[in-house]
Amino acid sequence: MRAIWSGAVSFGLVSVPIKVYSATSNHDVRFHQVHGEDGGRIRYKRTCEVCGEEVTYADIVKGFETPDGELITLDDSDLASLPVKTGHEIDVIEFVPNDQIDPMLFDKSYYLEPETKAAKPYALLREALEETDRTAVVKVALRQRETLALLRVRGKAIVLQTLIWQDEIREPEFDILDNEVDLKPQELKMASSLVESMGADFDPSEFHDEYRDAMADLIEAKRSDGDARPAPAAEAADDGGDSMSDLLSALQASVDAARSSSTTSGSGSTEKKAPARRSSSRSKKTEEPEKTGEKDTGTDDAKPAKPATTRRRSTKKSA
């Protein structure tokens, strides 16, 4: 396992340096959405429903729509003004009886590993929680947001159990539950007897995800039957090339255009043509960044040929 956070548990004057690890993992069979015809991955673009244009992450801000239909947008500077916690300390607020913790509040579980020199205070906290049958209520800042959590014991490890807030638990608003139901003593006794007859000690290792196992078997069966094909490689995105490639392409186009101009001019000696090629290349280097990306065709009426010839003649006259 890899630690996702490090800090210290602080209770009273005792500080226990620890590392935090995710205590659970998801074993669901993961699928991609692909094109049934050729197996290509399906990609989704971020498009604006108003203008229909694709939007980059840099142009996306957070928006909150009020009940009366008004839109409030928040950018990075707005979010930066919010109070966030960046400390790496798990502060114990109080110790409460275990039976007072509503499991509905449980969110995510993390294992706490003590640093080498903190093995003794770690064990001391663990044994104290076990001896008193209590759970530590703490506050911790994970991902820069402070949350309420618990420290409870599981085997030899202390578990950090994050909680949802009390107002996030919904109440069951079922009118039928308010109706009086007439339960006869005999019926209640029979139901209790059935519960007792099916009583057992809970062992989660006896239960398995049968749907996941069946899905894995189905995939393996199709693979064994030859119903598999190589995953197609996605074509490299055409990002227009980097600046160096663009520069080299521009220089090559300039040279080709200059050579074409020199070949088709039909007048003058070799000594006169050579300076024209060098002059054309130099002019293209300075002019190329202003181009819109159109490539020179290298034909007789290529644009670079005319300015190259004009400069050559002007130089000749001045000489």
Side-chain angles (χ1 to χ4, degrees):
M1 294 189 294
R2 186 178 66 177
I4 63 171
W5 193 85
S6 62
V9 177
S10 176
F11 62 106
L13 299 178
V14 180
S15 181
V16 185
I18 51 87
K19 293 180 180 179
V20 178
Y21 300 82
S22 179
T24 61
S25 61
N26 193 317
H27 291 165
D28 284 347
V29 179
R30 300 299 180 93
F31 292 98
H32 299 302
Q33 289 189 326
V34 300
H35 187 191
E37 183 176 338
D38 55 22
R41 290 280 297 274
I42 303 298
R43 302 293 184 183
Y44 294 94
K45 296 182 178 180
R46 299 172 299 277
T47 57
C48 174
E49 65 178 16
V50 176
C51 65
E53 295 183 359
E54 185 175 358
V55 183
T56 63
Y57 277 116
D59 295 327
I60 296 177
V61 298
K62 295 184 181 296
F64 175 81
E65 187 171 345
T66 63
D68 54 358
E70 291 185 321
L71 181 66
I72 309 298
T73 59
L74 302 176
D75 57 20
D76 291 341
S77 61
D78 295 322
L79 298 176
S81 66
L82 296 176
V84 294
K85 299 292 185 179
T86 57
H88 283 243
E89 193 167 63
I90 302 175
D91 295 318
V92 176
I93 302 172
E94 58 189 9
F95 295 94
V96 301
N98 292 338
D99 57 8
Q100 291 184 4
I101 306 298
D102 184 356
M104 286 281 285
L105 294 169
F106 290 171
D107 190 11
K108 295 182 179 180
S109 302
Y110 301 90
Y111 286 129
L112 302 187
E113 177 194 30
E115 297 286 358
T116 304
K117 297 181 180 180
K120 184 173 182 179
Y122 182 94
L124 180 64
L125 175 59
R126 180 191 63 209
E127 296 304 317
L129 292 175
E130 285 277 78
E131 183 70 20
T132 59
D133 198 26
R134 288 180 177 265
T135 297
V137 178
V138 303
K139 279 190 175 182
V140 59
L142 294 176
R143 297 178 179 86
Q144 295 187 323
R145 181 175 178 179
E146 190 175 65
T147 185
L148 195 64
L150 304 174
L151 295 184
R152 57 189 183 87
V153 179
R154 188 176 191 273
K156 293 184 177 181
I158 296 177
V159 175
L160 175 68
Q161 182 82 58
T162 60
L163 304 176
I164 62 175
W165 300 100
Q166 180 66 38
D167 59 5
E168 293 179 321
I169 297 181
R170 302 171 63 184
E171 293 296 330
E173 298 177 353
F174 308 135
D175 293 338
I176 193 174
L177 299 181
D178 295 329
N179 299 335
E180 292 293 334
V181 179
D182 183 20
L183 296 177
K184 298 179 180 180
Q186 185 176 0
E187 295 172 334
L188 182 57
K189 182 178 180 180
M190 186 175 298
S192 299
S193 177
L194 176 60
V195 170
E196 290 293 339
S197 65
M198 297 179 64
D201 293 326
F202 180 61
D203 183 2
S205 64
E206 296 180 354
F207 302 90
H208 303 278
D209 188 343
E210 297 180 0
Y211 180 85
R212 184 190 67 197
D213 294 342
M215 180 63 71
D217 292 340
L218 175 61
I219 293 174
E220 181 59 30
K222 293 178 74 68
R223 180 174 179 273
S224 300
D225 293 341
D227 191 8
R229 53 184 170 179
E235 294 183 1
D238 184 10
D239 57 1
D242 55 23
S243 58
M244 182 58 71
S245 298
D246 292 341
L247 178 59
L248 292 176
S249 299
L251 292 174
Q252 183 63 52
S254 301
V255 172
D256 292 343
R259 287 177 178 173
S260 176
S261 174
S262 300
T263 302
T264 58
S265 62
S267 62
S269 62
T270 305
E271 290 76 15
K272 293 181 180 180
K273 293 179 181 178
R277 288 196 295 271
R278 291 193 297 270
S279 177
S280 176
S281 298
R282 288 194 298 269
S283 64
K284 285 292 290 184
K285 289 181 181 179
T286 57
E287 294 172 4
E288 189 61 36
E290 299 178 3
K291 295 295 182 181
T292 58
E294 297 180 358
K295 293 186 178 180
D296 195 291
T297 59
T299 59
D300 294 346
D301 58 347
K303 292 181 180 179
K306 292 183 179 180
T309 305
T310 302
R311 283 191 290 274
R312 184 190 65 204
R313 289 177 180 174
S314 62
T315 305
K316 181 65 178 178
K317 289 178 180 180
S318 62

